[in-house]
């Protein structure tokens, strides 16, 4: 079961990572207004997600890598909160506000899953 979950997470991070480069504008819009270098942040987080995806595909993460993944999930949390506060669309999709807020605790669910791998 852990292997299946690891592959699912690898797919999620991989798809999100690619989307940072194919749908850059949608991700740029959810970077909080107080942060500079939005385009760099979007591309850097996309690279981080692709790296996480790659390493999840090749082996089970050790404690150090789990901490890196969890730190990344916490670093992107402000974007999810900002998106929910401002009711920003997910790319070209208008998402109901309750679902936008549901993404916030999802970060903590992902952390729990990562810790169980």
């Amino acid at each position: 079961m852990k292997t299946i979950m690891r592959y699912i997470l690898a797919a999620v991070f991989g798809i999100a990572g690619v989307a940072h480069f194919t749908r850059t504008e949608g991700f740029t819009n959810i970077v909080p207004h107080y942060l500079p270098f939005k385009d760099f942040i979007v591309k850097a987080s996309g690279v981080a997600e692709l790296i996480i995806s790659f390493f999840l595909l090749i082996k089970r993460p050790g404690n150090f890598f789990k901490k890196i993944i969890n730190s990344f999930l916490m670093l992107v949390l402000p974007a999810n909160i900002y998106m929910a506060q401002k009711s920003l669309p997910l790319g070209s999709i208008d998402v109901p506000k309750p679902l936008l807020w549901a993404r916030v605790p999802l970060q903590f669910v992902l952390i729990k899953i990562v810790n169980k791998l």
Side-chain angles (χ1 to χ4, degrees):
M1 185 58 133
K2 287 182 181 183
T3 302
I4 293 169
M5 188 54 66
R6 183 168 52 93
Y7 288 144
I8 290 170
L9 281 177
V12 168
F13 278 108
I15 291 167
V18 168
H20 278 71
F21 295 96
T22 59
R23 299 173 184 231
T24 306
E25 185 179 327
F27 285 95
T28 303
N29 289 338
I30 68 168
V31 175
H33 69 280
Y34 53 82
L35 292 175
F37 314 113
K38 290 182 180 207
D39 195 51
F40 173 78
I41 290 170
V42 169
K43 289 189 169 99
S45 60
V47 168
E49 287 181 319
L50 290 171
I51 291 169
I52 290 168
S53 174
F54 174 75
F55 281 106
L56 284 172
L57 281 175
I58 61 172
K59 67 180 257 178
R60 188 170 163 246
N63 287 331
F64 179 71
F65 191 52
K66 288 178 184 180
K67 288 179 183 177
I68 289 173
I69 297 170
N70 292 338
S71 296
F72 174 79
L73 290 169
M74 291 307 295
L75 283 172
V76 299
L77 183 61
N80 292 339
I81 294 170
Y82 184 74
M83 185 178 186
Q85 286 175 330
K86 302 291 183 182
S87 294
L88 298 173
L90 185 59
S92 61
I93 302 167
D94 286 322
V95 180
K97 197 162 187 143
L99 289 180
L100 290 174
W101 279 110
R103 290 184 69 204
V104 175
L106 179 62
Q107 297 298 107
F108 299 101
V109 171
L110 290 172
I111 288 170
K112 186 84 167 166
I113 292 169
V114 167
N115 288 335
K116 296 216 179 253
L117 293 178

